[in-house]
Amino acid sequence: MIRAFAAIPLPDTVRAQLSALSLMLPLPRPVPPENMHVTLAFLGEVGEPVLEDIHISWEAIRLPGFTLSVKGLGLFGGDRPRSVHAAIPPNPALDRLQAKVASAARFAGGDVPGRKFVPHVTLGRFRPGEADMMRLEHAMLNVAGFSAGPFEVTGFSLYRSHLGQRGPLYEELAEYPLS
Ligand code: 3AM
């Protein structure tokens, strides 16, 4: 079984900006810049034959490239925050791509969670009680005006996630260019 997901890789310049941003936040486990991306569809643990079918379905996607920006910060988890992210303003082309990637994967036999798509770049994750939320939210207010981009999105990729004690390691398995 392969733990896999689809995501938009970010330009080095944007990852450097996001990395500098995350240094301003008291994050117990910041996401390293090489792991920063915009997740489109999480596939979970998937068998190789299904992953191959999903790969073929993603190769058939024909959609135009578009521009993307990053603006502001947010928390996921409601009353029990579990991650902090840089937000992505509403972007119909991104929504269209995400819907296509998710529906193609489901049609090919993938089990993609049906939760609402909230585009973001995760900067840090934490278990309950692991982060000092007062300090974190104060620091987030200080950098609330953060923005990066716009930059061109020219494709998305299939990643394998290797879970390790030092955090996940993402291996790019395939690239899917947008026209
Ligand atoms: O980088 P982000 O946070 O956007 O949160 C995980 C990460 O996305 C997400 O898949 C991406 C690569 O690991 N992920 C992990 N487990 C998940 C799950 N059970 C999940 N997304 C949905 N359901």
Side-chain angles (χ1 to χ4, degrees), residues 3 5 37 39 42 113 115 120 122 125 170:
R3 187 179 172 86
F5 64 97
H37 55 252
T39 300
F42 178 69
R115 63 167 78 146
H120 65 275
T122 298
R125 302 184 179 84
Y170 301 143

Short mmCIF file of all heavy atoms in Angstrom, two decimals, residues 3 5 37 39 42 113 115 120 122 125 170, ligand 1:
data_model
loop_
_atom_site.label_atom_id
_atom_site.label_comp_id
_atom_site.label_asym_id
_atom_site.label_seq_id
_atom_site.Cartn_x
_atom_site.Cartn_y
_atom_site.Cartn_z
N ARG A 3 0.86 5.40 0.70
CA ARG A 3 0.14 6.58 1.24
C ARG A 3 0.40 7.72 0.26
O ARG A 3 1.57 8.10 0.04
CB ARG A 3 0.69 6.89 2.62
CG ARG A 3 -0.05 7.97 3.38
CD ARG A 3 0.59 8.16 4.74
NE ARG A 3 0.06 9.28 5.45
CZ ARG A 3 -1.04 9.24 6.22
NH1 ARG A 3 -1.68 8.11 6.39
NH2 ARG A 3 -1.47 10.32 6.84
N PHE A 5 -1.04 11.40 -2.11
CA PHE A 5 -1.94 12.56 -2.24
C PHE A 5 -1.53 13.37 -3.46
O PHE A 5 -0.40 13.22 -3.97
CB PHE A 5 -1.93 13.42 -0.97
CG PHE A 5 -0.60 14.07 -0.65
CD1 PHE A 5 -0.35 15.39 -1.02
CD2 PHE A 5 0.39 13.37 0.02
CE1 PHE A 5 0.88 15.99 -0.71
CE2 PHE A 5 1.61 13.96 0.33
CZ PHE A 5 1.86 15.27 -0.04
N HIS A 37 3.07 22.72 0.26
CA HIS A 37 2.33 22.49 -0.98
C HIS A 37 0.87 22.86 -0.75
O HIS A 37 0.47 23.12 0.39
CB HIS A 37 2.44 21.01 -1.36
CG HIS A 37 1.98 20.12 -0.25
ND1 HIS A 37 2.82 19.35 0.52
CD2 HIS A 37 0.74 19.94 0.29
CE1 HIS A 37 2.13 18.73 1.46
NE2 HIS A 37 0.87 19.07 1.35
N THR A 39 -2.50 20.97 -0.96
CA THR A 39 -3.10 19.64 -1.16
C THR A 39 -4.40 19.76 -1.96
O THR A 39 -5.25 20.60 -1.66
CB THR A 39 -3.39 18.97 0.20
OG1 THR A 39 -2.16 18.84 0.91
CG2 THR A 39 -4.00 17.58 0.01
N PHE A 42 -6.38 13.95 -0.85
CA PHE A 42 -5.64 12.97 -0.05
C PHE A 42 -6.21 11.60 -0.35
O PHE A 42 -7.43 11.39 -0.23
CB PHE A 42 -5.80 13.32 1.44
CG PHE A 42 -5.11 12.35 2.36
CD1 PHE A 42 -3.73 12.29 2.40
CD2 PHE A 42 -5.84 11.49 3.17
CE1 PHE A 42 -3.08 11.38 3.25
CE2 PHE A 42 -5.21 10.60 4.02
CZ PHE A 42 -3.83 10.54 4.05
N PRO A 113 -11.55 11.74 0.74
CA PRO A 113 -12.50 12.32 1.70
C PRO A 113 -13.34 13.41 1.05
O PRO A 113 -12.83 14.21 0.27
CB PRO A 113 -11.59 12.91 2.80
CG PRO A 113 -10.27 12.24 2.63
CD PRO A 113 -10.16 11.84 1.19
N ARG A 115 -14.71 16.00 2.31
CA ARG A 115 -14.82 17.26 3.05
C ARG A 115 -14.65 18.48 2.13
O ARG A 115 -14.01 18.38 1.08
CB ARG A 115 -13.81 17.30 4.20
CG ARG A 115 -12.36 17.25 3.75
CD ARG A 115 -11.41 17.60 4.88
NE ARG A 115 -11.22 16.52 5.83
CZ ARG A 115 -10.08 16.29 6.47
NH1 ARG A 115 -9.04 17.07 6.26
NH2 ARG A 115 -9.95 15.30 7.32
N HIS A 120 -5.14 25.82 1.14
CA HIS A 120 -4.23 26.35 2.16
C HIS A 120 -2.85 25.73 1.98
O HIS A 120 -2.69 24.74 1.26
CB HIS A 120 -4.76 25.99 3.55
CG HIS A 120 -4.75 24.51 3.78
ND1 HIS A 120 -5.78 23.69 3.38
CD2 HIS A 120 -3.82 23.69 4.32
CE1 HIS A 120 -5.49 22.45 3.67
NE2 HIS A 120 -4.30 22.41 4.23
N THR A 122 -0.20 24.26 4.74
CA THR A 122 0.01 24.00 6.17
C THR A 122 1.42 24.43 6.58
O THR A 122 2.41 24.09 5.92
CB THR A 122 -0.21 22.50 6.47
OG1 THR A 122 -1.57 22.19 6.16
CG2 THR A 122 0.03 22.19 7.95
N ARG A 125 1.72 21.63 12.45
CA ARG A 125 0.64 20.82 13.05
C ARG A 125 0.97 20.61 14.51
O ARG A 125 2.14 20.60 14.89
CB ARG A 125 0.54 19.46 12.35
CG ARG A 125 0.30 19.55 10.86
CD ARG A 125 0.12 18.18 10.22
NE ARG A 125 -0.14 18.31 8.80
CZ ARG A 125 0.80 18.44 7.87
NH1 ARG A 125 2.07 18.40 8.23
NH2 ARG A 125 0.50 18.61 6.60
N TYR A 170 8.00 13.57 1.68
CA TYR A 170 7.16 13.48 0.49
C TYR A 170 8.03 13.21 -0.74
O TYR A 170 8.99 13.93 -1.01
CB TYR A 170 6.36 14.76 0.29
CG TYR A 170 5.45 15.11 1.46
CD1 TYR A 170 5.26 16.43 1.86
CD2 TYR A 170 4.78 14.11 2.17
CE1 TYR A 170 4.43 16.74 2.93
CE2 TYR A 170 3.95 14.41 3.24
CZ TYR A 170 3.79 15.73 3.61
OH TYR A 170 2.97 16.04 4.67
O1 3AM B 1 -0.38 19.65 3.86
P1 3AM B 1 -1.83 19.53 4.21
O2 3AM B 1 -2.08 19.62 5.67
O3 3AM B 1 -2.71 20.38 3.39
O4 3AM B 1 -3.04 17.14 6.20
C1 3AM B 1 -2.42 16.24 5.29
C2 3AM B 1 -1.62 16.92 4.21
O5 3AM B 1 -2.27 18.07 3.77
C3 3AM B 1 -3.48 15.54 4.48
O6 3AM B 1 -2.80 15.10 3.33
C4 3AM B 1 -1.69 15.93 3.06
C5 3AM B 1 -0.44 15.11 2.93
O7 3AM B 1 -0.22 14.35 4.05
N1 3AM B 1 -4.06 14.44 5.21
C6 3AM B 1 -3.43 13.55 6.00
N2 3AM B 1 -4.30 12.69 6.53
C7 3AM B 1 -5.52 13.03 6.06
C8 3AM B 1 -6.83 12.51 6.22
N3 3AM B 1 -7.07 11.44 6.96
C9 3AM B 1 -5.38 14.15 5.21
N4 3AM B 1 -6.39 14.74 4.59
C10 3AM B 1 -7.61 14.18 4.79
N5 3AM B 1 -7.83 13.11 5.56
#
